[in-house]
Amino acid sequence: EQGFSRIFSVANMGETGEAYAFDRRGMMLTASRFDYDLKRLGLIPNSPEATSVLTLRLLDPGVDLERGEKPQRAGHDLPLTKMAASATIGDDGVDVQGYRNYRGVKVVGAWTWLPDFEMGVATEVAASEAFETLYLLRQAFLVLFLLLALSGVAIVAFTRIIDRLET
């Protein structure tokens, strides 16, 4: 269990990225990097030896549990996450628009089903972290565009002032 989970933990990126394996029922086969949070949220037992391995099902709570929101339906009535629902029927996929993971956090991810091993593998990262650089670049381009526009207005204004002074 630890060795298998360690292989997947190598692919954890940034603060929120994680890679994990799961079975046809959507049950985690590897430890989550968020086991402490899962205990705090009540998704796995709050005992020192408890882990998400074979304890946590990849269910979509419908709300962001990390923000303290409470699901409107009981746990056994919740659907699998978008990723798990797709993978467990054998579909591979990528979603960069964002979907909720098992903690209700909006993530982007990629997944595949491995029929020879009867398990799926996925990698996910919070959408906010995944697009952080894009947001910074967008802001930088906006600032540069505004400076360019202001420079253009200033050039036009100074050209008119000079034309008036010359006449």
Side-chain angles (χ1 to χ4, degrees), residues 60-75:
D60 180 355
V63 295
D64 190 340
L65 300 176
E66 289 292 328
R67 292 186 178 167
E69 299 172 11
K70 301 290 181 200
Q72 295 180 354
R73 297 193 289 182

Side-chain angles (χ1 to χ4, degrees), residues 4-161:
F4 190 56
S5 292
R6 196 171 335 155
I7 292 168
F8 281 85
S9 71
V10 171
N12 291 348
M13 60 211 132
E15 296 293 316
T16 62
E18 85 174 317
Y20 52 87
F22 52 94
D23 68 11
R24 177 99 35 211
R25 299 169 298 146
M27 192 69 70
M28 290 275 281
L29 300 176
T30 55
S32 169
R33 78 182 293 177
F34 302 107
D35 275 355
Y36 173 79
D37 296 328
L38 297 173
K39 290 175 184 179
R40 181 178 50 79
L41 296 169
L43 296 176
I44 61 174
N46 191 4
S47 62
E49 68 280 352
T51 69
S52 53
V53 179
L54 297 176
T55 306
L56 177 71
R57 228 169 138 225
L58 301 172
L59 300 176
D60 180 355
V63 295
D64 190 340
L65 300 176
E66 289 292 328
R67 292 186 178 167
E69 299 172 11
K70 301 290 181 200
Q72 295 180 354
R73 297 193 289 182
H76 60 276
D77 288 335
L78 297 174
L80 291 173
T81 63
K82 177 181 180 179
M83 175 280 302
S86 173
T88 56
I89 61 170
D91 292 338
D92 299 340
V94 174
D95 187 324
V96 295
Q97 299 301 314
Y99 58 93
R100 281 185 303 276
N101 70 357
Y102 54 88
R103 295 178 302 132
V105 175
K106 186 175 181 182
V107 296
V108 295
W111 58 89
T112 190
W113 185 255
L114 305 172
D116 293 343
F117 300 99
E118 277 299 304
M119 72 176 197
V121 293
T123 183
E124 297 173 331
V125 64
S128 58
E129 183 180 1
F131 297 120
E132 191 173 37
T133 304
L134 177 63
Y135 297 145
L136 290 172
L137 281 173
R138 187 181 294 166
Q139 288 177 339
F141 279 113
L142 180 61
V143 168
L144 288 173
F145 178 76
L146 289 174
L147 287 173
L148 181 63
L150 287 173
S151 298
V153 169
I155 290 171
V156 169
F158 286 127
T159 302
R160 288 188 177 186
I161 290 171

